[in-house]
């Protein structure tokens, strides 16, 4: 069937139905020379930092927006509402822009000014500043959705929605496909390392791995990494129940969910998972190391997933995972839009004695 593209992510085919291109791309899976040498195994990095919005959020949140549009009455453009001024907000606004949908982002007063500019100027979102904390903004945006009368509306949470988990799971489909294309035996995949904030990425990784590795004895371990001061999953697993952190003290603001999604918590109790907590200094140091090695600029929330590998002398993943020369591990370089060169230089100076 011939499809005619309108150039905005929306295409009309000959029978009048609407087809939508995806909001995310197939990202490279790249060999890490230094980490492979340090572990005596093959370590690959999945470059989600190259997604259109700057992070993996293009997958799950983009999938949610796309499915919302596909399930809306023909010809309608649902208004997308979100309360994240960070990576999730960028992904929602970028997806809405791609599909020609209006988007409103409600953010707290502590949002970085450059993020307001990016949301407004790059993605055309309507940005409203409300309250001093994320929960204030989130309460406001939910109220706006409930009171919205000008056509269909969709609230887009940062991480806690089945469509977001499903969209994130497609990354594992790519990883398995890319491993096979590169000549690796998929059974040699020992671990996937990812950062955990609210748990949307982690929940998607679990779903994807279970799809490709249904047998419990053959499932790769997930290294679920948080930073001290934002370790809601780790605290919940230790307590045996969901825990709400009293405050977020880590500089890795994108990991700053005071309570992990229940889906992620339940998955971590059932799926082979090794929770790891790293320091802010190690997260920043890992950002600098991947910048040197791969010329990639990522935020500390992403550096966290790299830290147990770059600081392998402190975490000894080789012994823990029983890695050998045939083993393959994948680190999700999830990206991030909140960091500036100035803030990275500030963090480098802050932790100079620890790097």
């Amino acid at each position: 069937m011939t499809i005619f593209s309108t150039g905005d992510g929306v295409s009309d085919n000959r029978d009048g139905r609407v087809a939508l291109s995806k909001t995310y791309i197939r990202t490279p899976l790249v060999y890490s020379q230094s980490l492979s040498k340090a572990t005596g195994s093959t370590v690959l990095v999945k470059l989600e930092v190259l997604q259109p919005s700057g992070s993996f959020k293009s997958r799950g949140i983009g999938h949610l927006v796309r499915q919302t549009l596909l399930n809306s009455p023909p010809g309608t453009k649902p208004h997308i509402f979100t309360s994240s001024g960070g990576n999730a907000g960028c992904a929602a606004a970028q997806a809405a822009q791609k599909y020609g949908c209006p988007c409103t982002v409600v953010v707290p007063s502590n949002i970085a000014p450059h993020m307001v500019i990016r949301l407004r100027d790059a993605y055309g979102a309507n940005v409203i500043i409300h309250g001093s904390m994320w929960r204030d903004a989130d309460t406001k945006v939910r109220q706006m959705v409930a009171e919205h009368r000008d056509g269909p509306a969709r609230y887009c949470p940062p991480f806690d929605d089945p469509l977001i988990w499903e969209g994130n799971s497609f990354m594992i489909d790519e990883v398995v496909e890319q491993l096979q294309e590169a000549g690796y035996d998929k059974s040699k995949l020992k671990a996937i390392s990812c950062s955990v904030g609210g748990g949307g990425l982690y929940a998607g990784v679990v779903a994807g791995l279970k799809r490709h590795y249904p047998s419990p004895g053959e499932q790769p371990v997930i290294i679920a990494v948080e930073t001290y001061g934002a370790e809601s999953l780790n605290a919940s697993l230790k307590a045996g129940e969901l825990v709400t952190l009293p405050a977020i003290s880590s500089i890795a603001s994108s990991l700053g969910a005071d309570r992990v999604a229940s889906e992620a918590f339940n998955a971590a109790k059932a799926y082979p998972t090794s929770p790891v907590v790293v320091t802010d200094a190690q997260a920043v140091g890992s950002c600098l190391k991947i910048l040197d090695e791969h010329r990639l600029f990522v935020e500390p929330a992403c550096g966290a997933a790299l830290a147990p590998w770059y600081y392998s002398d402190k975490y000894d993943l080789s012994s823990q995972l029983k890695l050998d020369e045939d083993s393959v591990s994948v680190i999700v370089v999830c990206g991030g839009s909140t960091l500036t060169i100035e803030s990275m230089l500030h963090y480098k100076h802050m932790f100079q004695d620890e790097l």
Side-chain angles (χ1 to χ4, degrees):
M1 181 178 295
T2 304
I3 294 179
F4 302 91
S5 175
T6 64
D8 61 356
V10 182
S11 303
D12 295 315
N13 53 32
R14 292 191 184 278
D15 61 7
R17 292 180 299 169
V18 173
L20 302 178
S21 58
K22 295 175 182 177
T23 60
Y24 60 89
I25 64 171
R26 186 181 193 256
T27 57
L29 186 64
V30 178
Y31 181 81
S32 170
Q33 182 71 38
S34 66
L35 296 180
S36 297
K37 182 178 180 180
T39 60
S41 64
T42 295
V43 178
L44 309 172
V45 286
K46 180 67 170 164
L47 304 186
E48 291 297 287
V49 64
L50 301 180
Q51 290 293 353
S53 71
S55 82
F56 78 98
K57 296 282 188 179
S58 287
R59 291 186 183 272
I61 288 178
H63 181 62
L64 182 151
V65 174
R66 182 173 184 265
Q67 290 302 312
T68 298
L69 191 54
L70 285 172
N71 290 299
S72 296
T76 61
K77 299 282 189 177
H79 195 129
I80 305 301
F81 289 85
T82 189
S83 58
S84 169
N87 298 315
C90 284
Q94 183 265 330
Q97 181 187 60
K98 179 180 179 70
Y99 297 138
C101 297
C103 180
T104 294
V105 185
V106 182
V107 297
S109 58
N110 62 358
I111 184 175
H114 75 275
M115 292 304 295
V116 174
I117 294 171
R118 180 172 183 177
L119 288 165
R120 283 177 175 163
D121 295 354
Y123 301 129
N126 174 35
V127 181
I128 298 172
I129 298 176
H130 178 85
S132 60
M133 300 177 62
W134 172 77
R135 291 197 182 278
D136 299 329
D138 192 60
T139 299
K140 175 65 175 177
V141 81
R142 288 174 185 264
Q143 178 187 350
M144 293 177 68
V145 171
E147 296 174 353
H148 187 75
R149 297 292 180 270
D150 187 18
R154 180 61 151 97
Y155 167 66
C156 182
F159 54 82
D160 199 359
D161 188 284
L163 285 174
I164 293 177
W165 310 330
E166 181 180 52
N168 289 337
S169 79
F170 300 151
M171 180 185 65
I172 300 301
D173 299 341
E174 282 182 17
V175 168
V176 171
E177 185 178 66
Q178 289 169 314
L179 288 175
Q180 294 172 332
E181 288 173 355
Y184 295 108
D185 185 338
K186 75 174 235 183
S187 69
K188 299 300 182 181
L189 181 62
K190 297 296 184 182
I192 299 270
S193 183
C194 69
S195 299
V196 178
L201 174 59
Y202 171 82
V205 170
V206 170
L209 288 175
K210 289 173 70 174
R211 188 158 59 241
H212 290 277
Y213 301 87
S215 203
E218 301 173 356
Q219 291 171 334
V221 174
I222 299 176
I223 309 299
V225 191
E226 300 170 287
T227 50
Y228 287 104
E231 69 275 32
S232 57
L233 176 61
N234 190 275
S236 297
L237 290 173
K238 285 183 176 179
E241 61 182 3
L242 279 169
V243 169
T244 300
L245 299 178
I248 300 297
S249 58
S250 172
I251 65 163
S253 58
S254 296
L255 301 184
D258 59 3
R259 187 181 178 94
V260 74
S262 58
E263 174 74 13
F265 172 63
N266 292 329
K269 292 190 296 182
Y271 187 90
T273 300
S274 178
V276 176
V277 183
V278 302
T279 67
D280 281 345
Q282 290 167 346
V284 169
S286 298
C287 292
L288 297 172
K289 290 175 186 293
I290 198 168
L291 179 60
D292 283 341
E293 183 178 3
H294 291 287
R295 298 298 184 261
L296 296 171
F297 189 65
V298 300
E299 64 182 48
C302 175
L306 294 155
W309 304 85
Y310 276 126
Y311 294 87
S312 57
D313 57 326
K314 294 180 173 62
Y315 295 96
D316 196 19
L317 293 181
S318 296
S319 297
Q320 178 186 335
L321 299 172
K322 300 180 179 178
L323 301 179
D324 56 35
E325 61 181 11
D326 294 325
S327 302
V328 179
S329 301
V330 172
I331 306 170
V332 180
V333 182
C334 56
S337 305
T338 65
L339 193 69
T340 63
I341 293 174
E342 290 77 14
S343 56
M344 176 54 79
L345 291 174
H346 171 70
Y347 292 146
K348 182 180 180 182
H349 177 73
M350 179 189 301
F351 298 113
Q352 60 183 340
D353 295 334
E354 302 174 61
L355 297 178

